Amino acid sequence: MTAPFSPDTLNSLRSELESKARKLFIDGEFVAAASGETFDVTDPATGETFASAASGAAEDIDRAVKAARAAFPKWAATPPATRADMLLKLASLIEREGERIALTETLDNGMPFMMAKFAGVMGAAGQLRYNAGWATKLAGETLTPSAPGEWHAFTLREPVGVVGSIVPWNFPFVMAVSKIAPALSAGCTVVLKPAEQTPLTAVILAELVQEAGFPAGVVNIVTGFGATAGAALAEHKDVDKISFTGSTSVGKSIVHASTGNLKRVSLELGGKSPVVIFADADLDKAIPAAAMGIFGNSGQVCAAGSRLFVHEAIADRVIEGIAERARSLKVGAGLAPGTEMGPLVSEKQLERVLGYIESGAGEGATVAAGGQRIDGEGYFVQPTVLTGTASGMKVVEEEIFGPVLCAMRFGDGEIDAIAEQANASEYGLSSAIWTRDISNALKLTKRLQAGTVRINGGAGVDPSLPLGGYKASGWGRENGRAGVEAYTELKAVTVAL
Ligand code: ADP
């Protein structure tokens, strides 16, 4: 099998990345961190350092926020159609640079190259195009107050101001673009903080933002660590909103940090999403989908279907089907031809996932497939299926963020009982239902505490579909109308006539 990318592009990319540290992008310019410090970037497929990036901290964040503040009034007043044009231009530039972006993403995060291309590059371009459309469509309403008198009453939608966007390492590029696209469309200016594990594609994004001609300060990108750059952004008194995607524990610290100026906070956090397969489901579709729902991107997906509930009549077949898929999945470096599952992002993440597998076995779970680290270089773990799991076990309660499925069975019974099991989690991000019985599907849908329900496959992440969680899975929704409106304030205006 030949590689789906040009080896020349990869070689020149590697030497470019080795030659110099990536810089911060503040006020339209590429600059070193104020401290002059940089940090190493590691390839999770080999464990080797192959690049470095500027280690931005509080002082850099402050400069970036000042630039975003200065740029805000003009950007907010820019005609919506002009803002839309710029987002569309950025989408085209991202496609032009698609190969370089996807290669960088794979080197940095480890994901299979094709995933970096489709979920990453195409997903990002799609987000920009979708949100470009909203720039010209955001609008208030006219209203009818009941107070005595004659009124003209209406709402105005105004951009919220300077936005701090903090993104994780699991889908670095598309996450970064998904944050900035609605914010820019609504007329906000942005300071983006990529994850320290995966800072590189955000720097390409900065180059393309510059090329697209966004005015200086509209988009600022500060690479650096969570405890320094991230915390400084969350605390900053002149940031009007933080939009965060990442772990629930960091989400909570962002809420604390935001209290200084009571900035608006949107949180897209963890999940422990249930997949419910009824006895009448189309198993030829449900089995591979359930497998990829947990093994895709090595399970490092907030909406990963990590708890399987399967009707006892088909449980053996389904669990064995998924276990078989786990055993046959091609695990390897994201740039190796045919790789279906890459490494985990870091040694820390590898240890975390192995720790959970061990804890599951310690609490009485059976390892039906996988369960081991894959020997050799890099942070690889086998796709793993645990059976004999039950609520109360750590592996069932906590988000593992790795390719580990907990399989459980249910018998004939009420939809309410199935819903109760599925809802027995502090999280409520996503869910999946497989059945040919539309009534059962919709009854369960109504009972599930989850921001997303996918019936018989459903759609993946799409810019038009609201994404977010119930309970500890977050605050607010991204994507769709709700996603862009989350970057606005609503002003009620009444005129006594
Ligand atoms: P982890 O790396 O432990 O999995 P997350 O996935 O939650 O943590 O990290 C998501 C993003 O949050 C990253 O960009 C990270 O740098 C940032 N971050 C981590 N800690 C903080 C913090 N205290 N304040 C703000 N951002 C943070």
Side-chain angles (χ1 to χ4, degrees):
M1 212 184 288
T2 55
F5 52 82
S6 141
D8 289 346
T9 310
L10 178 61
N11 290 336
S12 66
L13 181 65
R14 278 188 185 282
S15 40
E16 188 203 328
L17 287 169
E18 266 165 33
S19 68
K20 51 185 189 299
R22 308 288 92 188
K23 289 188 166 169
L24 313 178
F25 183 63
I26 299 177
D27 206 11
E29 285 176 22
F30 287 91
V31 293
S35 65
E37 283 175 22
T38 60
F39 61 97
D40 287 343
V41 183
T42 307
D43 178 349
T46 60
E48 278 164 22
T49 296
F50 68 100
S52 61
S55 187
E59 199 179 325
D60 307 288
I61 289 288
D62 190 51
R63 279 190 58 210
V65 171
K66 286 199 169 89
R69 175 60 60 195
F72 174 63
K74 213 167 156 200
W75 182 247
T78 298
T82 307
R83 294 204 301 266
D85 281 346
M86 302 203 70
L87 292 178
L88 295 172
K89 183 155 185 209
L90 183 57
S92 301
L93 293 177
I94 284 172
E95 282 170 342
R96 189 196 71 194
E97 293 302 309
E99 186 167 86
R100 186 160 68 102
I101 295 167
L103 286 169
T104 307
E105 191 86 316
T106 295
L107 288 172
D108 204 355
N109 161 281
M111 70 173 67
F113 175 77
M114 294 314 273
M115 178 176 268
K117 210 164 158 193
F118 287 105
V121 174
M122 307 307 282
Q127 278 284 350
L128 284 160
R129 296 211 165 94
Y130 175 82
N131 281 291
W134 275 117
T136 51
K137 284 149 205 91
L138 284 172
E141 302 173 291
T142 53
L143 306 161
T144 320
S146 297
E150 194 175 341
W151 304 100
H152 178 56
F154 58 97
T155 53
L156 290 175
R157 253 185 208 286
E158 298 174 350
V160 74
V162 172
V163 172
S165 306
I166 302 178
V167 292
W169 42 259
N170 60 337
F171 288 98
F173 189 71
V174 71
M175 289 276 182
V177 172
S178 304
K179 290 277 187 233
I180 71 167
L184 297 174
S185 177
C188 296
T189 54
V190 181
V191 178
L192 171 76
K193 211 293 283 171
E196 52 270 40
Q197 296 86 346
T198 55
L200 301 178
T201 48
V203 184
I204 304 182
L205 178 62
E207 288 166 16
L208 301 179
V209 161
Q210 193 181 44
E211 185 179 345
F214 284 87
V218 170
V219 179
N220 306 275
I221 299 183
V222 179
T223 50
F225 288 85
T228 48
L233 190 55
E235 273 162 25
H236 203 291
K237 294 272 197 310
D238 204 27
V239 170
D240 299 295
K241 177 184 167 103
I242 290 282
S243 178
F244 170 77
T245 299
S247 61
T248 293
S249 63
V250 174
K252 287 180 183 170
S253 52
I254 286 186
V255 170
H256 287 297
S258 70
T259 55
N261 65 337
L262 285 179
K263 55 176 71 68
R264 282 82 189 100
V265 177
S266 298
L267 303 170
E268 209 269 87
L269 307 175
K272 193 75 187 176
S273 299
V275 176
V276 180
I277 307 185
F278 287 90
D280 66 345
D282 179 347
L283 298 187
D284 291 341
K285 290 197 177 128
I287 291 170
M292 286 327 285
I294 184 65
F295 304 141
N297 205 23
S298 310
Q300 303 169 125
V301 179
C302 52
S306 49
R307 290 181 300 143
L308 174 72
F309 297 97
V310 56
H311 190 278
E312 59 194 4
I314 50 158
D316 288 345
R317 183 172 157 204
V318 170
I319 293 168
E320 184 45 35
I322 298 173
E324 181 45 40
R325 189 77 190 104
R327 288 179 212 113
S328 62
L329 211 62
K330 187 153 186 232
V331 182
L335 292 181
T339 290
E340 292 172 301
M341 191 181 105
L344 296 170
V345 75
S346 64
E347 193 162 7
K348 184 176 153 211
Q349 190 62 14
L350 175 70
E351 275 162 18
R352 183 187 145 89
V353 171
L354 291 172
Y356 272 111
I357 296 172
E358 208 173 298
S359 125
E363 286 185 289
T366 304
V367 180
Q372 302 291 322
R373 178 182 184 165
I374 298 176
D375 287 340
E377 61 178 14
Y379 313 129
F380 294 93
V381 67
Q382 292 173 330
T384 298
V385 178
L386 301 179
T387 58
T389 48
S391 59
M393 287 185 179
K394 228 172 114 174
V395 279
V396 176
E397 307 270 297
E398 296 180 16
E399 182 178 46
I400 299 175
F401 225 61
V404 182
L405 180 70
C406 295
M408 286 151 286
R409 297 160 189 250
F410 63 87
D412 288 330
E414 293 297 316
I415 291 285
D416 284 323
I418 300 168
E420 197 179 319
Q421 266 190 296
N423 290 335
S425 167
E426 65 170 313
Y427 297 111
L429 190 57
S430 188
S431 61
I433 301 171
W434 292 87
T435 175
R436 288 186 169 95
D437 182 331
I438 189 72
S439 272
N440 271 345
L442 293 179
K443 276 187 193 164
L444 184 55
T445 296
K446 286 201 203 172
R447 286 159 176 77
L448 287 176
Q449 297 166 324
T452 297
V453 181
R454 292 181 185 153
I455 300 172
N456 294 334
V461 174
D462 185 281
S464 71
L465 299 174
L467 175 76
Y470 284 41
K471 303 189 277 186
S473 288
W475 283 356
R477 295 291 180 270
E478 297 194 284
N479 294 342
R481 177 196 286 267
V484 65
E485 286 185 349
Y487 290 95
T488 64
E489 290 280 8
L490 204 53
K491 184 179 278 173
V493 187
T494 48
V495 187
L497 301 180

